[in-house]
Amino acid sequence: MTNEGPATVEAATVVKPRDARLQMFGEFWHYFSINKGAVIGLFVFALLILIAIFAPLLAPHSPDDQFRDFFLTPPAWQEGGNAQFLLGTDAVGRDMLSRLIYGSRFSLAIGFVVVTTALISGVVLGLLAGYCRGWVDTLIMRIMDIILAFPSLLLALVLVAVLGPGLVNAMIAIAFVLQPHFARLTRAAVMAEKTREYVVSAKVAGASHLRLMLVTILPNCIAPLIVQATLSFSNAILEAAALGFLGMGAQPPTPEWGTMLAEAREFILRAWWVVTFPGLAILITVFAINLIGDGLRDALDPKLKRS
């Protein structure tokens, strides 16, 4: 007969939750990896993050260095190109490859900051609207409806015009525009969860309203918010690029991809590479993030899980 001491029981209680988490992650990865496009998108996005982190090591030149003898030099494989500048140079002799590498830092930072800001504010408003209902719900949702009634880019342009051109103001404007999507999604999820048995039981047990919202209800609303955050990440990058292209976002000489496109507008016919490569960078990044969003939707939505 074996005697199980307190240490054995404590070890068992620690191992079981860990095994449960591993099992949940394994199930998530199984459904996520079924979508091969999502796996490819995840690989590309991880590569972009590594490029952004190690930009000083990967970039052959500083993004602001101007080589006066190499204005609008074509890519190295084209006639007239130079091996020193693999993707060519822009109108003032700056290396395109270096600026694209450093530009990944700005574009990814814009996505993270904008989505985080919009997610937090949207979740707070959605929680209040879905839980409190009544006049609070009506007031918050009508404000969100007014924001959604405007074209997102137009509203962002108006806000940046009021706040002043610049990268920080552009991020604030984009976060404000994306916020209603999180608020409406959170409200719908809270309303669906509020009447379930576990919430009623917690309320009967004496849980406070704040605990019910943040501890009991919110964790069960995370899955759709993760998917929405992923898709909003790509929208934030596109909106920032559009504002940069219109001269209202990041200002020169910042190597942000949209700003690079704006600077290259007058050279579209003379130097195709100064427009094509920043555009491709935006395209690949947004496409990869959208693929990840599709995979997350398949993995997190029980209705879409394949048997």
Side-chain angles (χ1 to χ4, degrees):
M1 182 174 179
T2 58
N3 295 323
E4 294 185 357
T8 306
V9 175
E10 184 178 353
T13 58
V14 172
V15 171
K16 285 182 179 179
R18 185 179 303 169
D19 291 341
R21 286 193 295 267
L22 290 174
Q23 184 178 359
M24 290 176 60
F25 177 78
E27 181 184 0
F28 164 80
W29 179 252
H30 168 72
Y31 289 107
F32 183 85
S33 60
I34 289 176
N35 189 331
K36 302 304 179 185
V39 176
I40 295 173
L42 181 62
F43 174 79
V44 172
F45 187 66
L47 184 62
L48 286 170
I49 292 176
L50 291 176
I51 289 173
I53 293 173
F54 297 105
L57 300 177
L58 297 175
H61 307 282
S62 169
D64 297 325
D65 285 348
Q66 299 181 12
F67 298 88
R68 302 286 182 176
D69 297 330
F70 298 96
F71 293 154
L72 292 177
T73 301
W77 63 83
Q78 187 173 329
E79 183 180 356
N82 190 302
Q84 185 180 358
F85 309 106
L86 186 62
L87 299 183
T89 61
D90 62 9
V92 293
R94 295 172 297 195
D95 180 45
M96 288 293 298
L97 177 59
S98 300
R99 290 181 65 77
L100 287 172
I101 291 174
Y102 275 91
S104 63
R105 285 186 160 187
F106 289 95
S107 293
L108 294 179
I110 288 169
F112 281 117
V113 172
V114 167
V115 169
T116 301
T117 305
L119 177 65
I120 293 174
S121 58
V123 166
V124 170
L125 292 175
L127 269 175
L128 290 174
Y131 186 85
C132 298
R133 304 291 290 161
W135 68 268
V136 176
D137 179 28
T138 302
L139 176 63
I140 293 175
M141 286 300 102
R142 293 300 77 77
I143 294 175
M144 297 299 105
D145 289 339
I146 292 172
I147 296 174
L148 290 173
F150 291 92
S152 58
L153 182 58
L154 177 60
L155 182 57
L157 273 172
V158 172
L159 291 175
V160 174
V162 172
L163 298 174
L167 185 58
V168 175
N169 291 340
M171 289 191 290
I172 294 173
I174 298 169
F176 182 81
V177 169
L178 294 179
Q179 170 188 276
H181 300 287
F182 293 100
R184 293 176 69 91
L185 190 61
T186 304
R187 172 181 177 268
V190 170
M191 289 173 59
E193 296 293 326
K194 186 180 176 182
T195 57
R196 295 187 182 273
E197 291 81 0
Y198 71 92
V199 178
V200 176
S201 300
K203 188 181 298 185
V204 171
S208 64
H209 294 299
L210 189 62
R211 181 178 179 82
L212 284 173
M213 286 191 291
L214 299 180
V215 180
T216 308
I217 298 176
L218 182 59
N220 294 285
C221 305
I222 293 297
L225 291 174
I226 292 175
V227 177
Q228 181 62 42
T230 306
L231 299 177
S232 295
F233 196 105
S234 61
N235 288 335
I237 294 177
L238 281 176
E239 296 282 355
L243 290 175
F245 183 78
L246 296 172
M248 303 296 284
Q251 301 298 301
T254 304
E256 194 269 328
W257 294 335
T259 305
M260 291 173 65
L261 283 173
E263 293 178 315
R265 277 179 297 189
E266 57 184 299
F267 305 105
I268 292 177
L269 299 179
R270 293 171 51 197
W272 60 268
W273 56 91
V274 295
V275 176
T276 303
F277 293 129
L280 282 176
I282 297 171
L283 170 65
I284 292 171
T285 303
V286 171
F287 187 54
I289 295 171
N290 285 340
L291 288 176
I292 295 173
D294 289 340
L296 288 174
R297 182 193 59 197
D298 294 344
L300 296 175
D301 191 341
K303 298 177 183 177
L304 297 175
K305 287 184 178 180
R306 304 172 180 87
S307 57

